[in-house]
Amino acid sequence: MHDSSATASVRLSRPVSRRDALRSAAALSALAGLGAASVSAATPAAAAAPTLIDFAMHQIPAQDIRAAGHSGVVNYVSLSRPGSSFGAKPITRPYAESLTAAGLVIVSNYQYGKPGGSAPSDFTRGFNGGVADAHTAWQLHTAAGGGQSAPIFFTVDDDINRDTWNNVALQWFRGINSVLGVQRTGVYGGINVCQWAAADGVIGNSRTAGHRWAWQTRSWSHGQVDPAAVLYQRIVSTASTPGPIVGGQEVDVNDVLAQDCGQWNLHP
């Protein structure tokens, strides 16, 4: 998930009111019956799929997201790196509630470090780093109202090879699993990373048959899409190829490939 910078319902500790039930139904309808079509591993995701946006600079008002035609967001459950101050990191409960009230969906993502940034890439932090990152991610996720069984997608924002996966990134995911369990762990990365994570059993399964918690970016994917992915980052905003502007900032755009893509309200 690039720092150019989801079906959502805030977890409640009280009985669900009629108003909350209606909000939850509205959020679910944002994705129900819309997409979720499987795609060929050799074919880009269909442009007609529902879309979620991801971003970091500041919180985009819910009405702007709806006006742009998107169904929700993938938002950070991580802090800003030293020297940076991203207004959308981490997601807050008031912002999550505003998205939910507007019928938008929320999916949780963790990314603190970045290649070449002021903190090293998270996946380089080993088993103990994975343990620490999972605790941080879960605390921020639940503080914002994230569902107790919802997955968190952990980021490999780099073009790594199989040796680096086996000897470095995999150990980080094992640490995450030791805290969250496999079923609440997801991965963000290129097609190889998504498929390695699934083959090594460190990410969980969507309730949509044949899909798992893989959020694939087009970067490093050579024009292919993993048919088991739940999200596909079709537009990656960069300095040379900026993404669309929503709420005054450039955003990345993600096609929804499964009705259950890890959105909070399906995982209370």
Side-chain angles (χ1 to χ4, degrees), residues 3 5 55-58 76-91 110-114 118-119 122 136 140:
D3 279 334
S5 46
F55 48 90
M57 293 305 297
H58 63 256
Y76 289 100
V77 289
S78 51
L79 301 174
S80 294
R81 293 182 295 279
S84 63
S85 181
F86 293 116
K89 296 180 74 169
I91 188 171
Y110 181 89
Q111 183 181 8
Y112 179 69
K114 182 178 181 178
S118 57
D122 302 326
T136 298
L140 294 171

Side-chain angles (χ1 to χ4, degrees), residues 20 73 89 108 126 252:
D20 290 325
V73 306
K89 296 180 74 169
S108 289
D252 300 332

